[in-house]
Amino acid sequence: MKSNVLEAKTRDRSNDKETIKLFWRATMRYKRNVAISALLVTANVILLTVVAPLFVGKTLAALAIPDGEPLRYFVLFIGAALLGIVFNRIGHPYAMAHQAIVARDLTERALTSLLRRSVGFHNDRVGGKLVSDVLDFTAAYLQMASAVFIDALPLATTLLIGSAIIYVESVPLGLFITIMTVTIIGLGIRTSIQMRPRRYRRLEAGKKMTAHLADTITNVQTVKTFGAEDRELREHQKLGQIFADIRVEDWSLISRRGNNRMLILVIFQALFVLITIWLVRHDPALLGVGIFAFTFTITLSNRLFTVNQLIRIIEESLLQASPMTAVISDQPEITDKPGASELRIQGGQVELQNVSFRYHDADRNNYVFTNLNLTIKPGERVGLVGPSGGGKSTLTRLLLRFDDVTDGAILIDGQNIADVTQTSLRQHIAYVPQEPLLFHRSIKENIAYGKPGASPAEIKEAARLAHADEFINKLKDGYDTIVGERGVKLSGGQRQRVAIARAILKNAPILILDEATSALDSESEVLIQEALWELMKGRTAIVIAHRLSTIQKMDRIVVLSEGKIVEEGSHKQLLRKKGLYAKLWSHQSGGFIEE
């Protein structure tokens, strides 16, 4: 549902205003750079497209006058041209450097926004598409900035200064240029408005194709496992054909409209020549301004012909930036309260007080938990078991504030986790998920992620305790081995051991293990359990496991079913009760729950 809201915002025209605001604020953070760039570029345009042609006209006109001074005007022409080149030499590199800095800032802004979004937000989206949105956002700014500095600003400057000079010398010529300009720009704006729905269609088609590409490449091993290369290629061809058809339709229309504008400009130029001839015949003194006006009109016509392209670039830039703008302008799902304090751990007691929770996209009455109460004492080791869908993993998500409770509160050492910063909360929790999440970096970097700046000795000790050093030392590059995207170059058990080593090195007071030994063989599990028991000493530990053998020695086992605590006690106590836990235990085969 949230995803649909963002897609609607992408198509909303107010989103364009927000994009312009974002770009403007990022640009104006460096006012000095903007002022210098604009001044130099404007001066360059005035000198090369207005002043220099004006002196050329006066030079030629002076040849027809007995006491004219063509050499003086020629020298002024050379001076204006050279000065314009100097300004251009300084101004454009300065402007490009400024754009590069702003683009860097916008990329950081986009990444910051994505990092602040919830885990649920990212679970609902294809990661590759989000990367594409970030790159498109920055590229859109560069296109728009270039259009404004290289095209729009010179056009506006040329038009205003040149027209003013012509108006002073000849009102009819000035009026003609004004009419020509308004006509061509008006046609460009009209075309842009008519093309807008087509551009939205093209954006959506392009994003669908990109999302499919990213999803396919990310899951290429699954594609190959099922021999589905041709199937995915056919799907891509179908999406690519839709995108190509829209592009051909758009570009064909743009080409036809461009030819129409070209014809109109040629007609205007022809009329301008006739008007200039008529005016000069009646007033020979207008020859100089007539030559300038004609040169100016040719230059202006060339620039006006690109007006529609300029408008289209700006429209395309706004459209290209819109998905990321929608994300940036949207409120993150999980936020820190104003003035949120840092979490302070004393013993690590965890309390759930009348916790109720349902997912934002679930039915109104479809709660995972309703008035759930649970207290885990400092240093207590608690196992969570129960059938799938009972709420075990959801409970860990709430503890980490990947989601916020709907009602009630979760307290750590008496502090409501909704009142502390998310960063400080998660810094005090070591989390090992069922599916280990590794970066496309070295094993050494992955282990040290929870403790930046850890020494090589600390990293190796954590790996030894997790029994990961046994396979790491056999690798060609050892701890410098790159594990691949999401750790695909390692086996499931190896990835899990690296994740456990990372948790060991983090040395947090609260430990959450969500099926942390599920990817291990029985022999490895025995070794890892030894490390985990050592890790749990003096820490509050919450362990989710389908292998009930993993949690037999827990201080307490909590049995969850349909969002409720149906039993709790030690392994022996629960077996004696002959309830759900005993049933699950008796149904195990090879250490797993049969459901």
Side-chain angles (χ1 to χ4, degrees):
M1 185 174 181
K2 190 75 172 176
S3 178
N4 293 336
V5 172
L6 283 176
E7 288 175 6
K9 286 187 70 174
T10 297
R11 294 189 292 269
D12 188 352
R13 291 298 294 172
S14 64
N15 201 50
D16 291 348
K17 296 178 182 177
E18 190 62 33
T19 298
I20 293 171
K21 285 181 183 177
L22 286 170
F23 287 175
W24 176 254
R25 289 167 184 165
T27 300
M28 295 309 292
R29 282 185 62 192
Y30 308 95
K31 293 183 176 65
R32 178 173 173 272
N33 290 0
V34 173
I36 293 174
S37 299
L39 181 63
L40 291 174
V41 171
T42 302
N44 157 59
V45 170
I46 293 173
L47 288 167
L48 291 180
T49 64
V50 178
V51 177
L54 176 62
F55 287 136
V56 169
K58 289 185 174 295
T59 300
L60 297 176
L63 294 173
I65 302 174
D67 56 348
E69 298 180 77
L71 187 58
R72 181 167 70 92
Y73 289 121
F74 178 74
V75 171
L76 291 173
F77 156 69
I78 294 297
L82 290 176
L83 192 57
I85 291 171
V86 170
F87 284 155
N88 181 71
R89 175 93 176 183
I90 300 172
H92 273 80
Y94 206 92
M96 295 302 103
H98 173 249
Q99 289 177 30
I101 293 171
V102 176
R104 176 204 65 194
D105 291 353
L106 288 171
T107 302
E108 291 177 6
R109 176 71 184 275
L111 178 58
T112 299
S113 182
L114 288 175
L115 290 174
R116 287 176 178 169
R117 303 310 292 256
S118 70
V119 172
F121 169 89
H122 290 279
N123 288 342
D124 288 338
R125 288 160 179 81
V126 178
K129 180 184 175 298
L130 290 177
V131 173
S132 172
D133 289 344
V134 173
L135 297 177
D136 285 349
F137 184 68
T138 306
Y141 166 76
L142 292 173
Q143 287 178 345
M144 186 178 290
S146 179
V148 170
F149 270 95
I150 306 302
D151 295 309
L153 183 60
L155 173 60
T157 303
T158 301
L159 180 62
L160 291 174
I161 304 298
S163 297
I165 292 173
I166 294 173
Y167 263 108
V168 170
E169 299 290 340
S170 173
V171 173
L173 289 178
L175 285 173
F176 186 87
I177 288 174
T178 300
I179 293 170
M180 180 180 71
T181 302
V182 171
T183 300
I184 298 301
I185 292 178
L187 288 173
I189 294 173
R190 180 186 173 191
T191 299
S192 178
I193 293 172
Q194 291 174 340
M195 293 291 295
R196 192 172 295 155
R198 298 172 182 270
R199 290 186 185 128
Y200 283 125
R201 285 175 52 212
R202 179 151 47 86
L203 174 71
E204 291 178 358
K207 290 300 179 183
K208 284 181 181 178
M209 186 178 69
T210 301
H212 177 263
L213 270 171
D215 198 29
T216 302
I217 297 302
T218 301
N219 295 284
V220 68
Q221 185 170 330
T222 303
V223 173
K224 288 185 171 296
T225 300
F226 285 87
E229 292 95 334
D230 291 341
R231 187 201 317 167
E232 293 298 335
L233 182 58
R234 285 194 299 272
E235 180 64 19
H236 172 73
Q237 288 171 340
K238 183 174 74 175
L239 294 172
Q241 188 59 50
I242 293 171
F243 187 46
D245 289 344
I246 295 173
R247 266 183 168 170
V248 170
E249 186 181 341
D250 282 0
W251 292 346
S252 296
L253 183 58
I254 290 170
S255 178
R256 291 196 299 272
R257 297 289 171 84
N259 284 332
N260 292 340
R261 287 196 314 280
M262 185 182 296
L263 176 61
I264 293 171
L265 277 171
V266 169
I267 293 172
F268 269 116
Q269 288 175 356
L271 289 173
F272 184 81
V273 171
L274 293 175
I275 293 172
T276 303
I277 291 172
W278 185 84
L279 288 172
V280 171
R281 279 183 174 176
H282 287 78
D283 185 3
L286 291 175
L287 177 60
V289 73
I291 295 172
F292 164 70
F294 179 72
T295 305
F296 174 74
T297 302
I298 297 297
T299 302
L300 184 61
S301 296
N302 292 333
R303 289 190 178 276
L304 286 175
F305 181 71
T306 63
V307 162
N308 196 65
Q309 181 182 358
L310 172 61
I311 295 173
R312 183 167 61 84
I313 289 173
I314 293 175
E315 284 272 359
E316 290 280 355
S317 298
L318 292 172
L319 196 63
Q320 195 175 3
S322 58
M324 199 65 239
T325 297
V327 172
I328 292 173
S329 60
D330 192 47
Q331 182 71 14
E333 297 78 6
I334 310 295
T335 57
D336 291 340
K337 289 183 178 179
S341 60
E342 299 286 311
L343 177 65
R344 299 185 183 278
I345 295 290
Q346 298 171 342
Q349 178 166 294
V350 178
E351 298 176 74
L352 279 71
Q353 297 182 345
N354 297 315
V355 169
S356 296
F357 174 74
R358 66 179 174 84
Y359 289 99
H360 66 85
D361 55 353
D363 293 337
R364 189 173 184 82
N365 297 317
N366 187 13
Y367 279 81
V368 180
F369 300 120
T370 303
N371 296 323
L372 181 68
N373 289 280
L374 176 65
T375 299
I376 301 174
K377 298 175 183 178
E380 187 178 18
R381 298 165 298 186
V382 174
L384 295 180
V385 301
S388 293
K392 303 183 296 296
S393 293
T394 300
L395 186 57
T396 64
R397 290 173 60 89
L398 294 176
L399 282 171
L400 287 159
R401 273 200 81 194
F402 290 163
D403 290 296
D404 274 332
V405 298
T406 306
D407 290 301
I410 298 177
L411 280 64
I412 294 180
D413 285 339
Q415 303 159 82
N416 191 331
I417 64 172
D419 297 333
V420 301
T421 63
Q422 297 172 67
T423 299
S424 67
L425 168 67
R426 293 163 190 159
Q427 283 175 343
H428 288 95
I429 298 175
Y431 175 55
V432 182
Q434 180 176 1
E435 194 64 38
L437 305 174
L438 303 183
F439 292 95
H440 181 54
R441 301 172 190 173
S442 68
I443 292 177
K444 175 176 60 182
E445 290 172 296
N446 273 285
I447 294 176
Y449 195 75
K451 187 180 179 181
S455 68
E458 290 176 309
I459 293 170
K460 290 181 179 180
E461 177 62 14
R464 185 188 67 78
L465 291 173
H467 295 278
D469 62 333
E470 298 170 5
F471 77 85
I472 295 174
N473 291 328
K474 295 177 182 178
L475 298 173
K476 179 184 176 182
D477 295 322
Y479 284 84
D480 292 321
T481 300
I482 302 299
V483 303
E485 187 176 15
R486 302 178 70 86
V488 295
K489 291 171 68 176
L490 302 180
S491 70
Q494 290 172 338
R495 290 199 299 272
Q496 197 67 278
R497 291 191 226 182
V498 171
I500 292 171
R502 182 164 59 189
I504 291 172
L505 184 60
K506 186 175 182 180
N507 195 28
I510 298 174
L511 178 65
I512 297 176
L513 305 175
D514 189 354
E515 301 284 356
T517 59
S518 62
L520 302 175
D521 55 69
S522 298
E523 183 179 352
S524 297
E525 183 187 11
V526 172
L527 296 174
I528 292 300
Q529 282 183 357
E530 294 175 4
L532 291 179
W533 282 112
E534 187 67 29
L535 177 62
M536 289 184 212
K537 286 182 179 179
R539 292 178 175 80
T540 303
I542 300 170
V543 181
I544 298 173
H546 270 189
R547 280 183 179 175
L548 299 187
S549 58
T550 305
I551 58 171
Q552 287 183 66
K553 299 179 182 179
M554 292 288 160
D555 298 323
R556 181 161 48 118
I557 297 171
V558 175
V559 184
L560 283 172
S561 180
E562 297 181 356
K564 297 177 181 178
I565 298 175
V566 294
E567 294 176 331
E568 57 181 313
S570 67
H571 172 69
K572 292 182 179 180
Q573 289 171 338
L574 292 176
L575 286 181
R576 285 196 295 268
K577 286 183 178 180
K578 296 183 178 181
L580 179 58
Y581 181 83
K583 180 181 177 182
L584 294 173
W585 179 263
S586 66
H587 285 179
Q588 282 198 352
S589 175
F592 289 97
I593 297 173
E594 292 183 350
E595 298 182 279

Short mmCIF file of all heavy atoms in Angstrom, two decimals, residues 533-553:
data_model
loop_
_atom_site.label_atom_id
_atom_site.label_comp_id
_atom_site.label_asym_id
_atom_site.label_seq_id
_atom_site.Cartn_x
_atom_site.Cartn_y
_atom_site.Cartn_z
N TRP A 533 27.25 -20.57 23.51
CA TRP A 533 27.09 -20.62 24.96
C TRP A 533 28.10 -19.71 25.64
O TRP A 533 27.80 -19.04 26.63
CB TRP A 533 27.23 -22.05 25.47
CG TRP A 533 25.99 -22.87 25.26
CD1 TRP A 533 25.84 -23.92 24.42
CD2 TRP A 533 24.72 -22.65 25.88
NE1 TRP A 533 24.54 -24.39 24.46
CE2 TRP A 533 23.83 -23.63 25.36
CE3 TRP A 533 24.24 -21.75 26.81
CZ2 TRP A 533 22.50 -23.72 25.74
CZ3 TRP A 533 22.91 -21.82 27.20
CH2 TRP A 533 22.06 -22.80 26.68
N GLU A 534 29.31 -19.70 25.07
CA GLU A 534 30.33 -18.81 25.61
C GLU A 534 29.92 -17.35 25.39
O GLU A 534 30.08 -16.50 26.27
CB GLU A 534 31.67 -19.10 24.92
CG GLU A 534 32.86 -18.35 25.49
CD GLU A 534 33.20 -18.79 26.91
OE1 GLU A 534 32.93 -19.96 27.26
OE2 GLU A 534 33.71 -17.94 27.67
N LEU A 535 29.35 -17.09 24.19
CA LEU A 535 28.92 -15.73 23.85
C LEU A 535 27.78 -15.27 24.74
O LEU A 535 27.68 -14.09 25.08
CB LEU A 535 28.48 -15.70 22.37
CG LEU A 535 27.92 -14.39 21.83
CD1 LEU A 535 28.98 -13.29 21.91
CD2 LEU A 535 27.47 -14.58 20.37
N MET A 536 26.90 -16.18 25.14
CA MET A 536 25.71 -15.80 25.92
C MET A 536 26.03 -15.48 27.37
O MET A 536 25.20 -14.86 28.05
CB MET A 536 24.69 -16.93 25.87
CG MET A 536 24.01 -17.12 24.54
SD MET A 536 22.76 -18.42 24.66
CE MET A 536 22.82 -19.10 23.01
N LYS A 537 27.18 -15.87 27.83
CA LYS A 537 27.50 -15.65 29.24
C LYS A 537 27.45 -14.16 29.60
O LYS A 537 28.09 -13.33 28.95
CB LYS A 537 28.90 -16.19 29.56
CG LYS A 537 28.96 -17.71 29.62
CD LYS A 537 30.35 -18.18 29.99
CE LYS A 537 30.41 -19.70 30.07
NZ LYS A 537 31.79 -20.17 30.40
N GLY A 538 26.66 -13.84 30.62
CA GLY A 538 26.55 -12.46 31.08
C GLY A 538 25.74 -11.57 30.17
O GLY A 538 25.72 -10.35 30.36
N ARG A 539 25.07 -12.16 29.18
CA ARG A 539 24.27 -11.36 28.25
C ARG A 539 22.82 -11.83 28.27
O ARG A 539 22.52 -12.99 28.55
CB ARG A 539 24.81 -11.50 26.82
CG ARG A 539 26.17 -10.86 26.62
CD ARG A 539 26.66 -11.08 25.20
NE ARG A 539 27.91 -10.36 24.97
CZ ARG A 539 29.10 -10.79 25.36
NH1 ARG A 539 29.20 -11.95 26.00
NH2 ARG A 539 30.18 -10.08 25.14
N THR A 540 21.94 -10.92 27.95
CA THR A 540 20.54 -11.28 27.74
C THR A 540 20.44 -11.86 26.35
O THR A 540 20.80 -11.21 25.37
CB THR A 540 19.63 -10.05 27.86
OG1 THR A 540 19.84 -9.44 29.15
CG2 THR A 540 18.17 -10.44 27.71
N ALA A 541 19.98 -13.10 26.25
CA ALA A 541 19.97 -13.79 24.96
C ALA A 541 18.56 -14.26 24.62
O ALA A 541 17.86 -14.84 25.46
CB ALA A 541 20.93 -14.97 24.97
N ILE A 542 18.15 -13.97 23.39
CA ILE A 542 16.87 -14.45 22.87
C ILE A 542 17.18 -15.30 21.66
O ILE A 542 17.76 -14.83 20.68
CB ILE A 542 15.96 -13.26 22.48
CG1 ILE A 542 15.71 -12.37 23.71
CG2 ILE A 542 14.65 -13.75 21.89
CD1 ILE A 542 15.04 -11.05 23.37
N VAL A 543 16.79 -16.56 21.73
CA VAL A 543 17.16 -17.51 20.69
C VAL A 543 15.91 -18.14 20.08
O VAL A 543 15.10 -18.72 20.79
CB VAL A 543 18.08 -18.62 21.25
CG1 VAL A 543 18.49 -19.58 20.14
CG2 VAL A 543 19.31 -18.01 21.91
N ILE A 544 15.77 -17.99 18.76
CA ILE A 544 14.68 -18.65 18.04
C ILE A 544 15.26 -19.86 17.34
O ILE A 544 16.32 -19.76 16.69
CB ILE A 544 14.07 -17.70 16.99
CG1 ILE A 544 13.45 -16.48 17.68
CG2 ILE A 544 13.01 -18.42 16.16
CD1 ILE A 544 12.96 -15.42 16.70
N ALA A 545 14.58 -20.99 17.47
CA ALA A 545 15.12 -22.19 16.84
C ALA A 545 14.01 -23.17 16.50
O ALA A 545 13.07 -23.34 17.28
CB ALA A 545 16.14 -22.86 17.75
N HIS A 546 14.12 -23.78 15.33
CA HIS A 546 13.27 -24.92 15.00
C HIS A 546 13.93 -26.21 15.46
O HIS A 546 13.25 -27.20 15.72
CB HIS A 546 13.00 -24.95 13.49
CG HIS A 546 11.78 -24.18 13.10
ND1 HIS A 546 11.26 -24.22 11.84
CD2 HIS A 546 10.99 -23.39 13.83
CE1 HIS A 546 10.17 -23.45 11.80
NE2 HIS A 546 10.01 -22.93 12.99
N ARG A 547 15.26 -26.20 15.53
CA ARG A 547 15.96 -27.33 16.12
C ARG A 547 15.86 -27.18 17.63
O ARG A 547 16.59 -26.40 18.23
CB ARG A 547 17.43 -27.33 15.68
CG ARG A 547 17.67 -27.89 14.30
CD ARG A 547 19.16 -27.91 14.01
NE ARG A 547 19.43 -28.46 12.70
CZ ARG A 547 20.66 -28.49 12.17
NH1 ARG A 547 21.68 -28.00 12.84
NH2 ARG A 547 20.84 -29.01 10.97
N LEU A 548 14.99 -27.91 18.24
CA LEU A 548 14.78 -27.75 19.67
C LEU A 548 16.00 -28.17 20.47
O LEU A 548 16.17 -27.76 21.62
CB LEU A 548 13.54 -28.54 20.10
CG LEU A 548 12.23 -28.10 19.44
CD1 LEU A 548 11.05 -28.84 20.08
CD2 LEU A 548 12.02 -26.61 19.53
N SER A 549 16.85 -29.00 19.85
CA SER A 549 18.07 -29.40 20.54
C SER A 549 18.96 -28.18 20.81
O SER A 549 19.77 -28.19 21.75
CB SER A 549 18.85 -30.41 19.70
OG SER A 549 19.16 -29.86 18.42
N THR A 550 18.78 -27.13 20.03
CA THR A 550 19.59 -25.92 20.18
C THR A 550 19.28 -25.20 21.47
O THR A 550 20.13 -24.51 22.03
CB THR A 550 19.35 -24.97 18.98
OG1 THR A 550 19.61 -25.67 17.78
CG2 THR A 550 20.23 -23.74 19.05
N ILE A 551 18.06 -25.33 21.96
CA ILE A 551 17.63 -24.50 23.10
C ILE A 551 17.33 -25.31 24.36
O ILE A 551 16.75 -24.78 25.31
CB ILE A 551 16.40 -23.67 22.72
CG1 ILE A 551 15.27 -24.60 22.27
CG2 ILE A 551 16.74 -22.65 21.65
CD1 ILE A 551 13.96 -23.86 22.09
N GLN A 552 17.71 -26.58 24.39
CA GLN A 552 17.42 -27.40 25.56
C GLN A 552 17.97 -26.81 26.86
O GLN A 552 17.35 -26.91 27.92
CB GLN A 552 18.02 -28.80 25.37
CG GLN A 552 17.29 -29.66 24.38
CD GLN A 552 17.91 -31.05 24.31
OE1 GLN A 552 17.86 -31.80 25.29
NE2 GLN A 552 18.52 -31.37 23.18
N LYS A 553 19.14 -26.19 26.77
CA LYS A 553 19.81 -25.72 27.97
C LYS A 553 19.46 -24.27 28.32
O LYS A 553 20.09 -23.69 29.21
CB LYS A 553 21.33 -25.85 27.79
CG LYS A 553 21.79 -27.28 27.59
CD LYS A 553 23.30 -27.32 27.39
CE LYS A 553 23.79 -28.74 27.12
NZ LYS A 553 25.26 -28.79 26.90
#
